[in-house]
Amino acid sequence: MVDRDDLPAPRQGLVVTHFLTVRDVAVSRKFYADIFGGQIVLAENPTIVKIANSWIIMNPGGGPTPDKPDITLTPHEPGDPVSAFLNVRVADIAAFYADTRAKGGQFLTEPLDRKAEVRCYLRDPDGYLIEIGQATGMLQGVYADKPASSS
């Protein structure tokens, strides 16, 4: 039996979770549990991993269902454009980066100072993008440069 407090099942109000369509549930479940110190709440159908104050829910893809007609869920494909990503805030990005690399995590770059924060990006086993960031300058009112205008 699963403890209700471990599930994303609020007694009132709401909670926000993140759902990922994955190729291999066991591989993804292990990644999120190991890299983020997550607690596996349900192993499958769906897989739920509790991470800090949130949950990642994972299942393989599939076709339409009565509550989502005309919708097919598929995992990320290499080269797909990114329209959304998981954003994880950490207290010590250098320690997180070193620990995650030691566990086999693949980052796009090392952590880079962006004035407001230090951040880097990680990919999960399906190629989903995960931003890892630590607030730095923003804590003192220093923010990132505005994007250059496209004119």
Side-chain angles (χ1 to χ4, degrees), residues 77-132:
E77 291 294 334
D80 280 354
V82 174
S83 60
F85 56 88
L86 188 62
N87 185 298
V88 177
R89 312 312 286 175
V90 297
D92 183 343
I93 197 165
F96 182 89
Y97 179 81
D99 183 57
T100 301
R101 288 206 38 179
K103 292 176 181 173
Q106 301 289 316
F107 288 88
L108 303 183
T109 67
E110 61 187 37
L112 299 174
D113 190 337
R114 305 272 303 154
K115 292 185 181 177
E117 65 183 345
V118 177
R119 73 178 189 210
C120 55
Y121 290 85
L122 170 70
R123 292 247 186 217
D124 84 352
D126 285 287
Y128 288 110
L129 193 62
I130 305 167
E131 177 182 303
I132 308 297

Side-chain angles (χ1 to χ4, degrees), residues 19-105:
F19 181 93
L20 295 174
T21 304
V22 299
R23 286 178 188 77
D24 187 324
V25 170
V27 169
S28 294
R29 179 180 59 229
K30 180 176 177 5
F31 173 86
Y32 283 96
D34 289 354
I35 296 297
F36 295 106
Q39 172 192 351
I40 298 168
V41 176
L42 288 177
E44 53 187 48
N45 296 323
T47 293
I48 300 176
V49 178
K50 184 177 183 180
I51 301 170
N53 59 349
S54 190
W55 294 263
I56 304 289
I57 300 173
M58 296 165 270
N59 250 345
T65 58
D67 57 340
K68 58 176 179 49
D70 303 321
I71 306 281
T72 299
L73 297 178
T74 61
H76 175 80
E77 291 294 334
D80 280 354
V82 174
S83 60
F85 56 88
L86 188 62
N87 185 298
V88 177
R89 312 312 286 175
V90 297
D92 183 343
I93 197 165
F96 182 89
Y97 179 81
D99 183 57
T100 301
R101 288 206 38 179
K103 292 176 181 173

